[in-house]
Amino acid sequence: MKYDAAAIERKWQKIWDEQSTFAVSIDKAKPKFYALVEFPYPSGQGLHVGHPRSYTALDVIARARRMQGYNVLYPMGWDAFGLPTENFAIANKIHPEKVTEKNVERFKAQLKSLGLSFDWSREINTTDPDYYKWTQWIFLQLFKRGLAYKKEMAVNWCTSCRCVLANEEVVAGVCERCGGEVVRRVKSQWMLKITEYAQRLIDDLDLVDYPERVRVQQINWIGRSDGAQVRFETTAGDPIEVFTTRPDTLFGATYMVIAPEHPLIEKWAGILENIDEVKAYQRQAAKKSDFERTEIAKEKTGVELKGVRAVNPVNNRETPIFISDYVLVSYGTGAIMAVPGHDTRDWEFAKKFGLPIVEVVKGGDIEKEAFTDCETGIMVNSGFLDGMTVENAKKAITDWLVQKGLGEHKVNYKLRDWVFSRQRYWGEPIPIIICPNCGFVPLDEEELPLRLPMVESYEPTESGESPLAAISDWVNVRCPECGGDAKRETDTMPQWAGSSWYFLRYTDPHNDKELASKGALQYWLPVDWYNGGMEHTTLHLLYSRFWHKFLYDIGVVPTPEPYAKRTSHGMILGENGEKMSKSRGNVINPDEIIKEYGADTLRLYEMFIGDFEKAAPWSSTSIRGCRRFIERVWTLQEDVLPDENIRAELETAFHRTIRKVGEDIENLKFNTAIAALMALLNDVNETGSITRGELRVFLILLNPFAPHVTEEIWENLMFSGQISQQQWPEYDEQKCIEQTIEIAVQINGKVRSRVTIPADSDSGQAISAAKADEKIVAAIAGMQIVKELYVPGKLVNIVIKK
RNA sequence: GCGGGUGUGGCGGAAUGGCAGACGCGCUGGCCUUAGGAGCCAGUUCCACAACCGGAGUAAGGGUUCAAGUCCCUUUGCCCGCACCA
């Protein structure tokens, strides 16, 4: 019988579909397990060979857990709003809805051809009005609690997408998505107050099991700094507030720097002696994007504000004030006290402008470079702080500032509020009405969903307004409060909106009363295991944790964190070790792999390719090994002994493999789980035959990785039921132990021989057996034995000297 | 610069401080075959050897230990993230 992967896979996919084998409902008698993978953006290119790595991994876990008695939810859906679809629609004059529909159809067929055990009855789509109704509902709740607000602000404007980007979407000065130039533009934008959750987003990382690199990245992104806010009086009368993490160095502050955009400059315009020079510097700074300011302007520049001086509160000394673009208006107070002795940037600036550098922490050589060490230094030239450690001085000076009313302890975050508006068509409309009398009026929840209007043209406008602004009969409405003429908000939400809560909807996807029922949320949350890419660590993960925490606060969800455990897979690279991309010409198409080898081989290979968490290059020769393995398994059924047991000679091997495969799946070590199955098959083949009992266990262990072929063999052998409904085999710890073992015998740590001894030998027995070995006899003859030890089951080491 | 990770055969990669290189690819030889990009058997870290017995070996150097790929220190390469964040 020839192994016909295509026919077998088609057959079983159809059966699973027709019988809804993997559909799940609440069953309180069983422990629940919620496995989640990031839902894809259904792009025009179709599935990439990288997608199945994540999907198969959690499919393996889901399938194994089902057989282990868990009630498993493993859902899939579509994150379908987004610019590529909109751009494709514009270019080809097809409505984005149609484009999405077509892409989803293709993706779905591809996913089904992989034999993934998704519960398709729970499929969701973020562009479905029944779905985005609840995305809009969540926005209204944020608005009603003051966490969504509109603000006139400088934003990142992608000149190519003609659209606003969140800070997180700007990478190295260009648009993360299209690579287009990003410039600053002042626009009125909807913002979400994620900063209000900054501390909890750090603290609650303790409640969850995330990989260290994900934890660290989130913490760094939020960027908490502990310090003090200090007020410096000026000769102009208006004080300058600064934030510093080193209040201990206050005595060393020899000048001040404020950002070019700082509002005091405008206020002081009349008294500045060199206002023209200052204005010129401001204009120059404004022209630079943030990227240029950080990348190109490594050399410090700046202009002194002549005519105003600041007063250092600790010693009442007057110091000059500069403006310089190395101080960012968006962080802290937009102004700093400069301590050139102990801050590298201030040191460079002071050197360039010939400003005094005062040592206030002893331990370095401030002539050569700034001394920034906080661990070892001792305070000097600092009045009442002299002799203290940096740590103590920070406390002492902060207390002093508080007491004098000059400052306070202060925590700052790098995290900015989330820019939530997009001036595009293909997104969730923001359900707000703008009334000239009443301001921003939320749409009545009864009117949700606020549907996207059908339009002729969804081209972005040159003015930077959303295409929706041109649809007058949609835009013009009556104000729900005063009944006067009003307009709808025409901005739409970013793509991150729909993906910030999708895992909640899966628990109750057809509910039209609530985003999901309390009962469903109570039963299924939190997500037990969420796998996704590292690229979503600072965006999607942070945003969805924020939304979830908000929903927790208003009593909608029962858990403070959405995902109990997060893992991330490495990328699959091209054969040349480079990232797969069309332009590099190294893209592998999963459809073709399935055609040539079958889905089971593809699944097996993607799990076997290497360490799951690391990037791995594709190899079109290595995959053949996985196909050969499946063929050898297929051959087993041709000659099966009727015995329903495992033969004694293979008992240990089987029990060990059951243990290893189970443990490895839990630990994401799919590659070694498969290696163990291959090794077991080799052991079986050495005996020249297999029993029904052995094959039965073997097929169940292999099933999560290669579900189709194992079902087929299961059926051919007339085992009862379907393999996916079987129970995972149990192992007996006792039976994992061999009767006799071969141990190494070392002389001074080097292996000199091997002996076979009973597994239960004690130390004395093992050592005498070792010393009876003829090679060892020869080695220790005439030598003095210093030490002998036995590591049970492993080795004997005899330490000798002359 | 800061933070995280990582360095093992020709390749992907295995090794709770206890026999380095499991498993697979590739390669070599043999069998089978009209044929082989099929299958089966054997071999495959490097050096040396007819073979046995050996020697060296996990980026480099040092240390702890009966025993180190694994733990500690120093150096170094690569990958990822953040980066004038006061």
Side-chain angles (χ1 to χ4, degrees):
Chain A
M1 203 173 9
K2 206 171 165 296
Y3 169 55
D4 182 351
I8 293 169
E9 289 170 7
R10 224 179 297 120
K11 170 183 163 184
W12 287 100
Q13 284 159 17
K14 193 162 167 246
I15 291 172
W16 294 331
D17 233 13
E18 286 171 357
Q19 301 183 354
S20 300
T21 307
F22 305 110
V24 69
S25 53
I26 292 178
D27 176 356
K28 294 196 172 149
K30 284 185 183 174
K32 67 95 181 179
F33 184 76
Y34 185 174
L36 182 68
V37 287
E38 285 167 354
F39 61 161
Y41 173 68
S43 70
Q45 283 94 46
L47 211 62
H48 179 271
V49 86
H51 288 109
R53 196 179 196 189
S54 172
Y55 304 160
T56 307
L58 260 67
D59 193 52
V60 168
I61 292 163
R63 285 175 179 271
R65 285 283 171 109
R66 280 191 203 103
M67 291 197 273
Q68 289 160 358
Y70 286 86
N71 193 32
V72 174
L73 171 58
Y74 188 38
M76 185 38 91
W78 317 104
D79 186 16
F81 275 126
L83 273 176
T85 299
E86 184 169 345
N87 290 338
F88 182 89
I90 291 167
N92 297 281
K93 308 239 178 283
I94 311 173
H95 195 278
E97 212 172 278
K98 289 270 174 283
V99 178
T100 300
E101 203 180 306
K102 211 171 122 257
N103 289 349
V104 163
E105 203 180 318
R106 167 123 187 261
F107 261 73
K108 196 167 167 182
Q110 287 184 303
L111 289 182
K112 287 201 168 179
S113 76
L114 283 161
L116 298 161
S117 64
F118 293 127
D119 176 356
W120 285 107
S121 71
R122 292 172 186 260
E123 176 182 356
I124 58 172
N125 184 326
T126 55
T127 66
D128 180 349
D130 290 338
Y131 180 91
Y132 70 65
K133 168 179 180 176
W134 298 106
T135 312
Q136 291 171 329
W137 181 85
I138 295 169
F139 179 87
L140 286 182
Q141 308 315 307
L142 286 160
F143 178 78
K144 286 172 185 168
R145 284 161 183 82
L147 292 167
Y149 62 98
K150 208 167 188 186
K151 188 182 163 194
E152 192 77 23
M153 64 171 304
V155 293
N156 305 298
W157 178 261
C158 173
T159 51
S160 158
C161 301
R162 284 181 278 183
C163 178
V164 165
L165 303 178
N167 290 321
E168 289 84 345
E169 293 172 296
V170 183
V171 175
V174 299
C175 173
E176 180 197 48
R177 199 168 289 119
C178 72
E181 191 198 351
V182 175
V183 298
R184 306 292 283 178
R185 263 208 196 181
V186 174
K187 295 192 70 69
S188 178
Q189 298 296 323
W190 282 99
M191 309 283 293
L192 297 187
K193 263 193 204 166
I194 190 171
T195 50
E196 196 136 300
Y197 284 76
Q199 192 60 48
R200 283 167 64 193
L201 287 168
I202 295 174
D203 293 344
D204 289 357
L205 286 171
D206 290 342
L207 305 179
V208 292
D209 177 12
Y210 283 17
E212 185 60 13
R213 53 184 175 156
V214 172
R215 241 179 81 84
V216 167
Q217 256 184 58
Q218 292 230 338
I219 289 170
N220 287 349
W221 190 264
I222 297 166
R224 181 193 155 105
S225 291
D226 220 295
Q229 189 156 317
V230 185
R231 196 170 73 242
F232 280 62
E233 298 299 336
T234 66
T235 53
D238 310 288
I240 300 176
E241 294 275 354
V242 302
F243 172 71
T244 176
T245 55
R246 296 292 306 274
D248 53 298
T249 61
L250 192 49
F251 284 85
T254 53
Y255 64 100
M256 318 271 305
V257 187
I258 65 179
E261 301 88 350
H262 200 285
L264 278 177
I265 299 169
E266 195 54 44
K267 198 164 179 203
W268 292 341
I271 52 173
L272 291 178
E273 292 157 19
N274 57 341
I275 184 69
D276 291 343
E277 198 189 352
V278 170
K279 288 229 153 126
Y281 187 82
Q282 281 183 310
R283 273 197 299 277
Q284 207 189 339
K287 268 198 290 188
K288 296 182 194 172
S289 65
D290 268 3
F291 177 64
E292 287 172 311
R293 273 171 69 159
T294 58
E295 276 308 301
I296 300 161
K298 286 292 180 199
E299 180 77 4
K300 299 278 178 292
T301 59
V303 173
E304 185 177 349
L305 300 181
K306 297 225 165 80
V308 183
R309 289 175 80 78
V311 182
N312 188 331
V314 285
N315 51 21
N316 293 320
R317 272 192 210 137
E318 284 194 6
T319 69
I321 307 169
F322 288 80
I323 65 169
S324 172
D325 60 11
Y326 85 88
V327 174
L328 308 174
V329 74
S330 54
Y331 184 76
T333 61
I336 61 157
M337 63 176 206
V339 185
H342 307 283
D343 180 282
T344 311
R345 296 151 301 179
D346 297 344
W347 190 89
E348 284 167 16
F349 191 89
K351 277 285 173 195
K352 181 158 178 193
F353 288 84
L355 295 158
I357 300 174
V358 175
E359 180 177 60
V360 290
V361 184
K362 215 170 175 53
D365 181 358
I366 60 162
E367 286 306 310
K368 288 211 196 91
E369 59 179 353
F371 177 65
T372 56
D373 186 353
C374 294
E375 307 284 311
T376 59
I378 296 295
M379 305 308 300
V380 291
N381 299 324
S382 294
F384 68 97
L385 300 176
D386 282 355
M388 290 187 191
T389 61
V390 167
E391 226 27 64
N392 290 337
K394 278 184 185 174
K395 282 190 213 95
I397 190 74
T398 306
D399 289 346
W400 183 86
L401 288 165
V402 169
Q403 200 190 333
K404 299 270 176 191
L406 294 166
E408 58 188 354
H409 176 248
K410 174 93 182 170
V411 173
N412 255 313
Y413 300 92
K414 283 190 230 175
L415 187 69
R416 297 276 86 90
D417 276 344
W418 175 6
V419 181
F420 199 68
S421 296
R422 297 294 183 276
Q423 290 69 40
R424 298 295 297 216
Y425 173 77
W426 195 227
E428 301 88 345
I430 291 177
I432 294 284
I433 289 166
I434 304 164
C435 171
N437 297 320
C438 315
F440 298 116
V441 181
L443 203 65
D444 193 316
E445 285 175 21
E446 293 300 309
E447 290 184 45
L448 296 180
L450 172 59
R451 288 168 184 264
L452 271 172
M454 292 300 273
V455 286
E456 292 299 310
S457 158
Y458 14 80
E459 301 258 0
T461 59
E462 276 313 322
S463 66
E465 263 191 307
S466 161
L468 295 177
I471 309 163
S472 47
D473 53 350
W474 185 82
V475 169
N476 296 311
V477 288
R478 298 246 157 248
C479 170
E481 279 184 15
C482 69
D485 285 343
K487 282 183 190 299
R488 287 191 197 283
E489 171 59 60
T490 58
D491 284 354
T492 53
M493 301 186 198
Q495 197 183 355
W496 309 110
S499 60
S500 290
W501 70 280
Y502 74 112
F503 53 93
L504 301 174
R505 188 64 178 171
Y506 283 139
T507 66
D508 191 10
H510 310 296
N511 193 327
D512 58 0
K513 304 275 182 297
E514 326 162 73
L515 62 81
S517 77
K518 283 263 187 304
L521 292 168
Q522 190 67 47
Y523 180 77
W524 288 112
L525 288 185
V527 172
D528 293 283
W529 193 328
Y530 188 21
N531 187 73
M534 278 307 284
E535 69 275 19
H536 290 126
T537 300
T538 44
L539 302 158
H540 163 62
L541 220 49
L542 207 58
Y543 291 155
S544 62
R545 289 181 62 220
F546 160 48
W547 274 34
H548 192 86
K549 287 187 174 305
F550 167 69
L551 292 171
Y552 175 69
D553 288 350
I554 65 171
V556 174
V557 298
T559 60
E561 281 286 330
Y563 321 116
K565 173 176 176 143
R566 166 82 180 188
T567 54
S568 25
H569 56 273
M571 248 189 297
I572 292 195
L573 307 171
E575 298 227 56
N576 54 3
E578 288 173 24
K579 198 174 160 172
M580 268 191 209
S581 72
K582 239 193 275 177
S583 59
R584 290 191 182 88
N586 60 354
V587 174
I588 304 283
N589 181 341
D591 293 343
E592 274 159 36
I593 300 299
I594 291 174
K595 213 166 124 198
E596 192 173 354
Y597 297 104
D600 282 333
T601 299
L602 175 61
R603 292 170 58 110
L604 202 64
Y605 177 59
E606 292 218 9
M607 293 299 94
F608 187 63
I609 195 167
D611 185 335
F612 181 69
E613 299 187 88
K614 279 195 228 140
W618 183 267
S619 163
S620 50
T621 51
S622 277
I623 190 172
R624 291 189 202 138
C626 291
R627 167 74 187 214
R628 280 178 205 148
F629 171 64
I630 290 176
E631 300 241 20
R632 282 206 297 278
V633 174
W634 180 252
T635 313
L636 288 177
Q637 62 183 318
E638 286 170 7
D639 187 17
V640 183
L641 304 173
D643 189 350
E644 294 290 343
N645 298 304
I646 294 169
R647 287 166 292 169
E649 58 196 304
L650 288 171
E651 200 165 54
T652 309
F654 265 90
H655 281 262
R656 283 185 173 180
T657 308
I658 295 168
R659 180 174 65 183
K660 178 140 184 76
V661 171
E663 286 173 358
D664 282 356
I665 289 174
E666 281 305 302
N667 294 318
L668 286 173
K669 300 186 79 170
F670 307 109
N671 53 340
T672 51
I674 293 167
L677 287 167
M678 289 172 167
L680 181 61
L681 177 63
N682 292 344
D683 289 345
V684 167
N685 281 343
E686 246 168 67
T687 70
S689 57
I690 189 163
T691 66
R692 278 177 68 86
E694 289 158 5
L695 187 50
R696 180 190 185 84
V697 169
F698 189 85
L699 289 174
I700 295 175
L701 294 179
L702 180 60
N703 172 262
F705 299 95
H708 311 87
V709 69
T710 47
E711 284 282 16
E712 183 70 13
I713 300 172
W714 188 269
E715 189 185 71
N716 289 344
L717 290 175
M718 294 185 291
F719 284 126
S720 60
Q722 283 177 20
I723 193 169
S724 54
Q725 288 146 358
Q726 304 306 307
Q727 238 185 13
W728 193 255
E730 302 211 345
Y731 66 91
D732 180 343
E733 200 70 56
Q734 285 306 312
K735 290 184 175 164
C736 292
I737 302 166
E738 300 268 12
Q739 294 301 304
T740 59
I741 47 172
E742 194 189 53
I743 60 164
V745 184
Q746 299 180 332
I747 301 289
N748 290 347
K750 291 204 172 182
V751 179
R752 291 298 174 206
S753 188
R754 285 159 211 289
V755 292
T756 302
I757 58 169
D760 55 0
S761 303
D762 64 20
S763 170
Q765 290 164 331
I767 290 168
S768 2
K771 282 156 85 179
D773 182 80
E774 66 184 72
K775 281 182 206 155
I776 301 305
V777 170
I780 60 179
M783 308 296 261
Q784 187 192 337
I785 295 176
V786 180
K787 195 171 187 176
E788 302 168 325
L789 38 87
Y790 173 53
V791 181
K794 305 275 187 189
L795 52 76
V796 165
N797 189 12
I798 300 170
V799 185
I800 57 170
K801 67 176 185 187
K802 270 205 178 129

